[in-house]
């Protein structure tokens, strides 16, 4: 169920964190004026049966990222347990009380819906009792931010709240110094990353057949270690695609090589797969977004260019 796409990345040459991340989340490398995100545009392209849930697009975090910014309403939740009490009153959490007071019966500019609809959705969430959620037997999530986020995404999905897209992120990859090898800060981060994803997949059980998880980052690392025992911002990276419909057990894409003459700018892996081609295949084959030029304007993304990992 796991496909690896190596030498994937953005065609834009920027080594700025802010620009590179914005370009990958907007889906428009080199264009700084794009206000919405590729995933929001993909959801707009989806053909819906009935009314979408308030939890259609969910972010585990304090604010909606560029990826999900746009016309489709997205909700940011830092902690589902804040909404675990089912009634307003002294026994409810302060956040739950404040949420009801703010949105009950009012127009909801923040969540782009009516306050009544949003609060009804929150009551559904609280009925799922997030504070007492138990993962599937034998599943133990790592107690790091990504593990906590994926655990809550699994809970939202298993509670049948209508989640179609969920976003989480993980920091700590900027290993300019003292990176380590088989052990050390980068190895530790990779361990946390892989254990969180494995726990999520196991926790979803048979429902995992209806899930597609994609990982992406704005940078790889340089091919050579620098003078402080770390690596700097590299060009190409790797993307992982995990899902019930994924043709896993394979590495996809063209390997460019790491000989000196094959490196990008003489320092890092060259991009051979545009990240939008990976995301385009996922949105086309799972969300049914047929107009890829709407999702990724100006990109050379079409079914003929797909790697066919789904």
């Amino acid at each position: 169920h796991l496909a690896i796409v190596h030498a994937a990345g953005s065609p834009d040459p920027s080594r700025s964190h802010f620009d590179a991340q914005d370009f990958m989340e907007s889906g428009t490398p080199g264009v700084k004026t794009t206000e919405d995100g590729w995933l929001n545009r993909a959801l707009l392209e989806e053909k819906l049966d009935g009314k979408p849930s308030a939890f259609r697009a969910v972010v585990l975090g304090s604010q909606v990222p560029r990826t999900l910014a746009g016309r489709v309403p997205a909700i940011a939740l830092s902690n589902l347990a804040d909404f675990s009490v089912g009634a307003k009153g002294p026994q409810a959490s302060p956040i739950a009380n404040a949420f009801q007071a703010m949105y009950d019966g009012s127009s909801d500019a923040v969540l782009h819906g009516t306050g009544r609809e949003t609060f009804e959705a929150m009551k559904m969430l609280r009925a799922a009792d997030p504070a007492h959620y138990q993962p599937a037997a034998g599943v133990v999530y790592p107690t790091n931010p990504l593990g906590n986020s994926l655990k809550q995404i699994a809970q939202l999905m298993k509670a049948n709240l209508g989640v179609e897209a969920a976003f989480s992120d993980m920091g700590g990859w900027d290993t300019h110094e003292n990176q380590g090898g088989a052990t050390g800060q980068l190895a530790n981060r990779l361990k946390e990353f892989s254990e969180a994803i494995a726990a999520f997949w196991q926790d979803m059980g048979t429902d995992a057949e209806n899930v597609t998880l994609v990982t992406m980052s704005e940078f790889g690392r340089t091919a050579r270690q620098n003078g402080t025992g770390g690596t700097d911002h590299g060009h190409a990276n790797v993307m992982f695609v995990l899902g019930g419909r994924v043709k896993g057990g394979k590495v996809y894409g063209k390997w460019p090589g790491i000989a000196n003459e094959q490196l990008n700018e003489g320092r890092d892996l060259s991009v051979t797969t545009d990240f939008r081609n990976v995301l385009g295949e996922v949105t086309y084959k799972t969300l049914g977004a047929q107009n890829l030029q709407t999702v990724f304007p100006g990109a050379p993304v079409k079914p003929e260019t797909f790697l066919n990992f789904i």
Side-chain angles (χ1 to χ4, degrees), residues 25-278:
E25 292 199 19
S26 69
T28 55
V31 180
K32 295 188 177 185
T33 55
T34 307
E35 295 184 354
D36 55 3
W38 69 267
L39 185 50
N40 197 288
R41 296 192 298 271
L43 290 171
L44 271 178
E45 283 291 302
E46 185 186 16
K47 301 295 185 291
L48 290 177
D49 293 325
K51 189 175 182 180
S53 161
F55 292 102
R56 183 184 182 194
V58 177
V59 178
L60 265 296
S62 59
Q63 60 186 14
V64 175
R66 176 68 58 86
T67 303
L68 276 170
R71 288 162 54 193
V72 172
I75 182 170
L77 297 169
S78 294
N79 186 356
L80 302 189
D82 290 335
F83 300 96
S84 60
V85 179
K88 185 179 179 182
Q91 301 303 312
S93 72
I95 292 179
N97 271 337
F99 189 91
Q100 179 169 354
M102 187 179 299
Y103 296 118
D104 194 10
S106 65
S107 177
D108 170 11
V110 176
L111 302 176
H112 310 285
T114 66
R116 176 69 58 184
E117 289 169 346
T118 302
F119 189 65
E120 286 301 315
M122 283 301 166
K123 286 202 292 187
M124 290 169 59
L125 173 57
R126 293 206 300 268
D129 197 11
H132 298 98
Y133 175 67
Q134 290 295 321
V139 174
V140 178
Y141 283 89
T143 55
N144 57 51
L146 182 63
N148 292 334
S149 292
L150 292 182
K151 179 180 178 181
Q152 294 181 86
I153 289 171
Q155 179 176 3
L156 284 170
M157 289 182 165
K158 290 202 281 187
N160 294 318
L161 295 177
V163 175
E164 295 179 42
F167 174 95
S168 181
D169 63 1
M170 179 181 185
W173 300 101
D174 210 16
T175 53
H176 290 282
E177 57 186 15
N178 302 320
Q179 178 173 284
T183 60
Q185 61 170 316
L186 181 58
N188 291 341
R189 188 63 62 195
L190 288 165
K191 184 173 184 288
E192 293 173 3
F193 171 79
S194 58
E195 286 179 347
I197 291 172
F200 170 77
W201 181 257
Q202 292 163 357
D203 191 14
M204 290 303 299
T206 56
D207 290 334
E209 294 300 312
N210 300 315
V211 171
T212 305
L213 183 152
V214 183
T215 72
M216 58 190 285
S217 177
E218 75 271 32
F219 291 130
R221 310 305 302 175
T222 48
R224 298 186 192 88
Q225 186 169 281
N226 61 28
T228 56
T231 49
D232 299 311
H233 299 169
H235 193 43
N237 202 341
V238 64
M239 296 175 74
F240 297 106
V241 186
L242 176 68
R245 296 175 56 192
V246 172
K247 300 172 187 173
K250 286 184 63 177
V251 178
Y252 291 81
K254 179 184 177 184
W255 180 248
I258 55 172
N260 288 342
E261 66 275 11
Q262 296 170 316
L263 294 175
N264 173 66
E265 298 180 352
R267 58 180 286 179
D268 41 41
L269 196 65
S270 296
V271 171
T272 59
T273 297
D274 191 313
F275 76 99
R276 295 169 295 179
N277 203 46
V278 178

